[in-house]
Amino acid sequence: MNFRDRHLWIVILAGLSLGTLGVLLSVWGNPQNSGICVSCFFENSAGALGLHDNSRMQYLRPELIGFVLGSMGSAALFREFRSRGGSAPLPRLFSGIFLMVGCAVFIGCPIKLVLRLTAGDLTAVAGGIGLVGGVWAGLKTLAGGVHLAPAQTQKGSGLLVPGLFALLLVFLIVRPGFLLFSAASSAAQHAPWLLALAAGLGLGALAQRSRLCVTGGVRDTLLLGHRSPLLYGLFAFVLSAVAVNLATGRFNPTLYGQPGAHLDHLWSFLGMALVGWLSVLIGGCPFRQLIKAGEGDADAGLVAVGMLIGGALVQSWGIAATAAGVPLYGKVAVLAGFIFVFGLSLVQREQEGY
Amino acid sequence: MPKFSQTSLLWLLMVVATAAMAALLVTASGDDPRWRTAGLDKAVERELAFQARAAFLQKVYAPVEALLAAGQAQTALLKLDELERSFSGDPHGFILRGEILRDLGVLDRAIANYVRALKLSGDYLEEASPLSRRTEIRHLVDQGLRELVPRARSNPDNRSLAATVGELHYLQSRLAGGCE
Amino acid sequence: MKRLLLLLLPVVAVAVFSAGCDRIKERPVLRIGYMNCNNERETMERFAPLSRYLSEQVGVTFETIPVDTHEFEERFRAGEFALTHTNSLLYILLKEDAGLKLVAADKRGHYGSRTAGTLIARKGSGIETLEDIRGKRLVFGPMMAPTGYLAQYDLMLQAGIDPERDLGYYAIPAGSFKHEKLIYGVYFGDFDVAAAPALDLEEMTREGKIAADDFVILAQSQIVPYCTFGAAPDLDPVIFAKVRQALLELTPTDTVEIDGERVKVLKAAWVDGFEELLDSDYDPIREMARRVNMPPYQTY
């Protein structure tokens, strides 16, 4: 590894920022171990827009808006904004939905997985193993010739999702009456919105520059070993999160009584395995999809739309797990997700003679 | 029509539509009746519904509270049985039953009732809620960890104790918060 | 060849079927003694599905035997029962005298596997405290009832009231449904005070037979275990473990077939489930029995 490489230091800076802000946002008001959680934020935001009726999960998370707009700003500044799309749009939309299913059953996205682990939540270990296993399986699938069609330049379509998030920013500021904000429970716990938005913008910009992605980091490490810059980004993320958790008295290593966690380890494993596998197929974890959407990638934007739909469905259909465990519909939905992955892989496989 | 003119026309139309929207938004003040369509004040409606529910519960369960205040725990339990015929599965009934059983020292059943209540409604964990039982639940968890966990450890094959400790950990997890 | 196979097929089928029948016949048959609460017919209706369920789960044929309380000890000592289902006082008696082992306890009502004894008077009768019962007419449940007799007798002794001398008189109703009878006895004014199990008050209130406001609860005992499954000391440990597991895993949706009909096991038995208790959980009853001078700690 070349430690004089400027990109490597950007990746490490992004990892440090993600770990530090991930814990600090919790200290500033976000739910415990959930300073940054893309899937939780989507569930909250879908609720705020009236797409589901769980009154405990409704808040338009400024961080989510910040990720997309920060990425767009950075991409525009460094002339990397390219409007592109057209690669298997509907499979990507459904992938977004199933990403949310996997996250909801585990209770958290890959970033929250790391935040939970670094706060001592040992129930997340099964999810961690599942994520690595899912990425490994995804790589094997790619190696077996499964590829989604290549994207093409599409003028304008890359602006639609950043435009949607800009509209959400307007909603956040104006607070029209149709928005629903929880008065109690986890969605009522949030950092001051300007602080959260600033954190989101900063992380979005850094992630755009560094290409930081949790599943991408795992994937590159499996492929390149210690030569992967993202591995060092992940190290920085983990170390900074542990340090801030320790410094703020939030490190509590135990299996029991953890916030927003359950003991259905098999389903934690399977939920994150689904997320890992899908993320490799579509080229990035939920966070990375948002960053790519900000760079003008309409395909990633469609994944983001799928995640918004998924965020509503996991709440409306009783798919999301709670501390009580994984409901039946959650288990069925995860298995449906795997059926989708297998079916997609079969359909998208490059076969000899074709 | 030449291509250039069409492009210009489209740009022009876009500017007009944007200006019209901006004008509409700017000219309509916050209390303009045009904003008041049915169901828009959802937050107010929700708050009203919550307050109404809290008041209703206080009224329905007032006899139970009165019996408890008079130290008649068993009669209060019987009153809850009576009320359950009309309000079956109501989380507030489970909360009150949990409180009485805790006071009577039946820790395992108290925990089971609090768990049932919290699975139905998280309102009882909110510190700001008029229904809040957060402090009581925290004390119950502390007592359970002190009394039940060592008992379960010294009887590792006892499945009933293990199940109660599992429920205790559920309460602990809910108290810890998190996003769910 | 095909014809030969066709001929052989019924022969093989009959042989397999017969072997199966032999195996069914060979299954060990064990007896479960169920203490009669009211009458034999009710006991059979309540517990035959439970015995059938246990037979299916354990692989042993269990027979349901209704047993009167006063016969239980003698018949258990004679080795008649592999398993027993009794109240907690009888469990202690059989444990102390014949080595009965604790399997599990019934869960029912607010207190789960436990209940309490209460002393009740009709509201408005003028009896408001335990002190007021001196010289009054009291009705107990059956003598071997831990929360229909023992607990209340102990409550009175603890309060300095000797039931043998300080009451006007006391009675024990005859026949079935004794606990309900004594609650109605107070309700209709035949008695001033009744020794009612909290569980019966709870169930009668839930069914709408009485109202919470009808009575004053003068005193309530400590909460103690109630109905209990026990096992003979010589029962095969493998069967013991399987029975316990089957009881603990029994859910409200489990059914068995009785006379061609699917019956919910727990509902039929009037039980919410089973719980694994420790023998030390029964110590409060032991202490009560010692104070009241009742078996198995009776001294003359």
Side-chain angles (χ1 to χ4, degrees):
Chain A
M1 177 51 55
N2 179 11
F3 286 99
R4 288 180 187 167
D5 180 7
R6 189 165 160 266
H7 179 67
L8 174 69
W9 289 103
I10 293 176
V11 173
I12 290 173
L13 178 64
L16 286 172
S17 308
L18 196 59
T20 307
L21 288 171
V23 181
L24 283 180
L25 280 166
S26 233
V27 176
W28 293 332
N30 279 6
Q32 187 85 350
N33 292 2
S34 207
I36 295 174
C37 171
V38 173
S39 60
C40 307
F41 291 174
F42 264 116
E43 288 173 43
N44 287 176
S45 300
L49 295 171
L51 300 178
H52 70 69
D53 62 353
N54 183 350
S55 59
R56 305 173 65 231
M57 293 289 278
Q58 294 166 335
Y59 178 58
L60 198 54
R61 290 279 174 189
E63 297 90 339
L64 213 55
I65 298 165
F67 295 153
V68 177
L69 299 186
S71 164
M72 188 178 74
S74 168
L77 189 67
F78 292 94
R79 297 179 184 279
E80 288 181 337
F81 188 91
R82 278 196 311 115
S83 183
R84 57 198 188 272
S87 163
L90 271 177
R92 286 183 190 273
L93 181 83
F94 278 85
S95 296
I97 295 172
F98 283 117
L99 276 178
M100 290 303 296
V101 166
C103 291
V105 164
F106 168 72
I107 313 186
C109 72
I111 290 177
K112 181 168 168 178
L113 164 74
V114 177
L115 292 175
R116 279 174 59 179
L117 280 171
T118 54
D121 180 352
L122 300 180
T123 63
V125 171
I129 297 169
L131 188 76
V132 175
V135 170
W136 178 83
L139 278 174
K140 288 282 168 199
T141 318
L142 290 184
V146 175
H147 294 290
L148 302 185
Q152 293 154 354
T153 301
Q154 287 189 337
K155 274 191 175 177
S157 65
L159 279 168
L160 283 175
V161 169
L164 171 68
F165 278 83
L167 180 66
L168 294 182
L169 178 60
V170 174
F171 286 174
L172 184 69
I173 296 165
V174 176
R175 311 254 168 149
F178 56 77
L179 277 193
L180 287 164
F181 284 179
S182 298
S185 201
S186 60
Q189 296 170 19
H190 50 80
W193 75 270
L194 272 172
L195 201 60
L197 181 66
L201 287 167
L203 283 172
L206 270 171
Q208 193 278 325
R209 297 302 302 143
S210 63
R211 274 72 173 159
L212 186 69
C213 166
V214 176
T215 53
V218 176
R219 179 199 61 199
D220 287 3
T221 306
L222 289 174
L223 288 173
L224 303 170
H226 70 279
R227 286 172 292 144
S228 158
L230 287 181
L231 173 66
Y232 296 90
L234 286 185
F235 274 148
F237 176 17
V238 169
L239 289 176
S240 57
V242 169
V244 183
N245 269 316
L246 281 169
T248 54
R250 286 169 179 253
F251 186 72
N252 177 30
T254 172
L255 197 59
Y256 303 110
Q258 291 287 357
H262 58 73
L263 296 170
D264 287 344
H265 303 304
L266 172 67
W267 292 98
S268 289
F269 172 88
L270 289 173
M272 273 293 114
L274 177 63
V275 172
W277 200 326
L278 271 172
S279 297
V280 171
L281 289 183
I282 61 174
C285 67
F287 178 64
R288 179 77 188 132
Q289 296 297 328
L290 287 174
I291 302 305
K292 283 164 73 175
E295 291 173 337
D297 185 337
D299 295 327
L302 212 48
V303 176
V305 173
M307 289 196 284
L308 188 66
I309 297 169
L313 293 185
V314 296
Q315 289 296 328
S316 294
W317 292 1
I319 289 168
T322 65
V326 180
L328 176 68
Y329 292 140
K331 294 172 183 175
V332 171
V334 165
L335 294 178
F338 276 108
I339 292 169
F340 169 75
V341 169
F342 303 147
L344 182 68
S345 302
L346 282 169
V347 172
Q348 301 287 338
R349 198 155 46 109
E350 289 168 4
Q351 290 177 334
E352 283 180 28
Y354 282 84
Chain B
M1 190 180 282
K3 201 174 181 181
F4 176 77
S5 324
Q6 191 182 35
T7 309
S8 303
L9 183 65
L10 285 169
W11 275 111
L12 181 68
L13 289 171
M14 193 163 138
V15 168
V16 169
T18 308
M21 188 173 75
L24 197 64
L25 288 170
V26 169
T27 55
S29 61
D31 52 358
D32 192 306
R34 280 177 288 171
W35 290 117
R36 292 199 205 116
T37 55
L40 269 189
D41 290 328
K42 288 180 178 175
V44 176
E45 280 177 20
R46 182 179 289 179
E47 182 59 22
L48 280 174
F50 181 74
Q51 294 297 340
R53 177 176 148 72
F56 176 72
L57 289 175
Q58 274 160 5
K59 187 181 163 194
V60 166
Y61 290 98
V64 180
E65 302 277 9
L67 287 165
L68 278 176
Q72 296 177 44
Q74 181 61 46
T75 313
L77 276 176
L78 296 179
K79 184 55 87 179
L80 277 173
D81 284 329
E82 263 180 41
L83 289 170
E84 196 175 277
R85 294 215 304 273
S86 307
F87 305 100
S88 179
D90 177 37
H92 202 69
F94 294 126
I95 284 285
L96 289 173
R97 194 167 288 138
E99 280 178 16
I100 298 169
L101 292 170
R102 182 203 59 208
D103 293 345
L104 290 171
V106 195
L107 215 54
D108 57 338
R109 300 301 305 156
I111 290 167
N113 276 283
Y114 275 108
V115 166
R116 283 189 78 175
L118 290 191
K119 282 183 180 175
L120 291 166
S121 168
D123 291 340
Y124 297 97
L125 283 169
E126 299 303 323
E127 275 180 84
S129 163
L131 300 173
S132 179
R133 296 292 193 280
R134 193 174 177 85
T135 309
E136 290 87 339
I137 295 170
R138 180 170 288 134
H139 289 158
L140 180 71
V141 168
D142 291 343
Q143 190 183 356
L145 291 173
R146 219 170 34 242
E147 294 174 16
L148 287 172
V149 172
R151 194 170 143 90
R153 279 200 190 122
S154 53
N155 296 280
D157 298 329
N158 190 308
R159 276 164 282 192
S160 301
L161 275 173
T164 302
V165 169
E167 289 183 322
L168 192 64
H169 285 142
Y170 171 78
L171 292 181
Q172 204 184 3
S173 192
R174 291 298 303 268
L175 280 171
C179 187
E180 61 169 70
Chain C
M1 187 64 186
K2 272 185 183 173
R3 283 178 189 171
L4 183 65
L5 281 174
L6 275 174
L7 282 171
L8 279 175
L9 195 65
V11 178
V12 171
V14 169
V16 169
F17 187 70
S18 309
C21 288
D22 282 347
R23 272 201 294 279
I24 289 168
K25 276 179 198 161
E26 280 168 15
R27 264 170 45 143
V29 178
L30 297 175
R31 292 154 70 92
I32 307 177
Y34 291 96
M35 192 184 96
N36 282 327
C37 284
N38 292 308
N39 54 61
E40 283 196 7
R41 188 177 158 189
E42 181 195 272
T43 305
M44 286 302 291
E45 282 175 2
R46 279 180 70 186
F47 295 112
L50 183 58
S51 297
R52 174 70 56 85
Y53 164 79
L54 288 174
S55 302
E56 288 175 4
Q57 299 296 313
V58 179
V60 167
T61 301
F62 286 110
E63 284 182 0
T64 305
I65 313 292
V67 189
D68 281 337
T69 313
H70 63 275
E71 292 176 352
F72 221 117
E73 189 180 2
E74 190 185 334
R75 291 175 71 176
F76 182 70
R77 277 175 179 280
E80 199 177 326
F81 312 122
L83 294 166
T84 62
H85 182 264
T86 64
N87 68 35
S88 48
L89 183 58
L90 200 49
Y91 158 73
I92 289 170
L93 185 71
L94 297 177
K95 179 174 174 63
E96 303 292 323
D97 292 354
L100 186 74
K101 289 195 289 188
L102 176 61
V103 180
D106 294 15
K107 278 201 294 188
R108 196 172 159 196
H110 292 310
Y111 301 114
S113 58
R114 295 166 172 85
T115 186
T118 66
L119 282 164
I120 59 167
R122 187 169 166 74
K123 200 169 215 173
S125 67
I127 303 170
E128 300 291 334
T129 67
L130 204 49
E131 267 307 301
D132 298 339
I133 73 170
R134 290 177 193 274
K136 298 290 191 296
R137 301 164 300 166
L138 185 144
V139 59
F140 277 116
M143 277 193 82
M144 283 300 286
T147 56
Y149 181 90
L150 172 67
Q152 289 87 348
Y153 206 105
D154 183 50
L155 270 176
M156 285 186 270
L157 290 180
Q158 300 263 55
I161 298 166
D162 184 346
E164 308 298 334
R165 287 183 304 191
D166 297 335
L167 297 173
Y169 71 84
Y170 70 77
I172 294 174
S176 305
F177 301 101
K178 291 185 177 71
H179 297 306
E180 282 202 10
K181 274 180 189 167
L182 61 90
I183 292 167
Y184 283 131
V186 168
Y187 185 80
F188 290 112
D190 294 338
F191 292 91
D192 302 311
V193 185
L199 183 60
D200 289 78
L201 287 175
E202 192 184 310
E203 294 199 337
M204 288 174 75
T205 309
R206 203 173 288 153
E207 289 165 10
K209 290 177 179 170
I210 56 170
D213 300 328
D214 291 340
F215 301 98
V216 178
I217 296 175
L218 306 169
Q220 180 168 330
S221 76
Q222 193 176 349
I223 290 153
V224 293
Y226 196 46
C227 289
T228 302
F229 254 102
D234 57 350
L235 181 69
D236 180 350
V238 176
I239 294 178
F240 179 95
K242 282 185 177 174
V243 168
R244 176 180 273 172
Q245 185 178 349
L247 287 172
L248 295 178
E249 288 175 357
L250 186 53
T251 66
T253 52
D254 286 319
T255 59
V256 290
E257 195 169 305
I258 298 281
D259 300 328
E261 204 177 317
R262 296 306 299 184
V263 178
K264 285 184 176 166
V265 179
L266 284 176
K267 192 178 176 190
W270 309 350
V271 172
D272 298 333
F274 290 91
E275 188 172 346
E276 196 175 345
L277 292 183
L278 306 175
D279 182 64
S280 58
D281 291 326
Y282 293 75
D283 287 349
I285 305 177
R286 291 186 171 96
E287 287 156 21
M288 282 181 194
R290 285 193 180 98
R291 288 194 293 263
V292 176
N293 196 27
M294 277 191 73
Y297 308 109
Q298 202 169 21
T299 55
Y300 298 98

